[in-house]
Amino acid sequence: TGLTEPHYPSTSINDLDQQVWIEEALSESTADYIIVGGHFPVYSVCKHGTETVMIDYLKPLLDKYEAHYMCGHDHCAEHIVVDNTNYWLNGIGRECCYEDTNIDTVPEESLLYLLADTQSSGTGDINGTISGYSTIVVSSTNLTVSYYNQNNDLLYTSSVNPRSQSASDSNDNISIKQILVLVGIAIVSLFVVSMLFLCSRNYYKKSYVVVQQDDKQLLSNIITDEPFSHN
């Protein structure tokens, strides 16, 4: 990402150009899963904390295109979910761990996992973890992200479904709406046609004269300019 300072994301012209680029890339992707990788976090509870610039400019694109985000920067391990978008942060490749001094900067109940200096969850033991890494396993049914420590001990794992499943559900909803609209149009059209038929039938009564001849009714289609009447 383009930077105006050595350590912080910005809204410089170069960054806005990159925003256009990343939206084009996301919009053209047909992948079942999209993971956007960056150095800086969107959300983080640790030392460096949440980046409001990333929330303002990147988060809307992640939400729009059903993408997820993976990063480092903060030397701790986190899993945060906001608006169905997953944010995986694993920055313990060198050391573990920073303190969770920015825990109030993330939405309530969004933090699903945290390995930090002041608290941890899952099977990880902060005292036994001095570094670690992440793995990503992809299949046709899900994408799984796992955190391990330096001894290859599993600390945490989480999975997401393919984008195609969500897109399919969305398309089904659109199809139902389209069907309802078409049914409504058909009902209105039928009503209009029926009314036109009744009006035209009443109007053209003047064109028909019933003539009695040999005790049989003969229907003659006689076009006149006078309204129909019985004498």
Side-chain angles (χ1 to χ4, degrees), residues 38-231:
H39 178 80
F40 293 95
V42 178
Y43 294 99
S44 177
V45 306
C46 289
K47 177 181 177 180
H48 294 300
T50 296
E51 295 286 355
T52 55
V53 170
M54 303 283 274
I55 293 177
D56 292 340
Y57 289 91
L58 182 59
K59 180 183 181 299
L61 299 180
L62 299 175
D63 294 342
K64 181 177 181 180
Y65 296 106
E66 301 179 60
H68 306 285
Y69 189 71
M70 182 172 288
C71 69
H73 192 51
D74 261 332
H75 295 188
C76 54
E78 308 174 35
H79 180 207
I80 294 172
V81 178
V82 180
D83 298 327
N84 296 319
T85 299
N86 289 262
Y87 299 89
W88 293 286
L89 184 156
N90 191 348
I92 63 174
R94 176 184 175 186
E95 62 181 1
C96 175
C97 288
Y98 287 169
E99 295 182 356
D100 57 350
T101 53
N102 286 294
I103 197 165
D104 294 332
T105 66
V106 302
E108 187 176 356
E109 299 183 355
S110 64
L111 183 63
L112 301 188
Y113 175 79
L114 173 63
L115 183 66
D117 191 24
T118 54
Q119 69 178 23
S120 60
S121 60
T123 59
D125 181 357
I126 188 72
N127 296 322
T129 299
I130 59 176
S131 63
Y133 60 95
S134 302
T135 64
I136 302 175
V137 178
V138 181
S139 71
S140 60
T141 57
N142 58 55
L143 178 149
T144 301
V145 175
S146 301
Y147 297 160
Y148 293 85
N149 69 8
Q150 74 282 355
N151 297 320
N152 299 321
D153 297 325
L154 178 64
L155 303 176
Y156 176 74
T157 187
S158 62
S159 297
V160 296
N161 293 325
R163 283 200 313 153
S164 56
Q165 293 183 5
S166 299
S168 176
D169 293 341
S170 176
N171 290 336
D172 288 343
N173 292 334
I174 293 174
S175 298
I176 291 173
K177 291 179 182 178
Q178 290 175 336
I179 291 173
L180 291 176
V181 170
L182 290 174
V183 169
I185 293 174
I187 292 174
V188 172
S189 300
L190 181 61
F191 174 78
V192 172
V193 171
S194 299
M195 293 301 296
L196 290 174
F197 174 75
L198 291 175
C199 291
S200 62
R201 181 181 179 187
N202 186 55
Y203 174 79
Y204 284 109
K205 274 187 176 182
K206 66 181 182 181
S207 300
Y208 297 95
V209 176
V210 177
V211 179
Q212 297 290 335
Q213 182 178 354
D214 297 331
D215 297 328
K216 295 181 180 179
Q217 288 189 335
L218 300 177
L219 186 63
S220 302
N221 190 12
I222 303 173
I223 306 300
T224 67
D225 292 331
E226 300 297 329
F228 175 79
S229 60
H230 286 285
N231 295 325

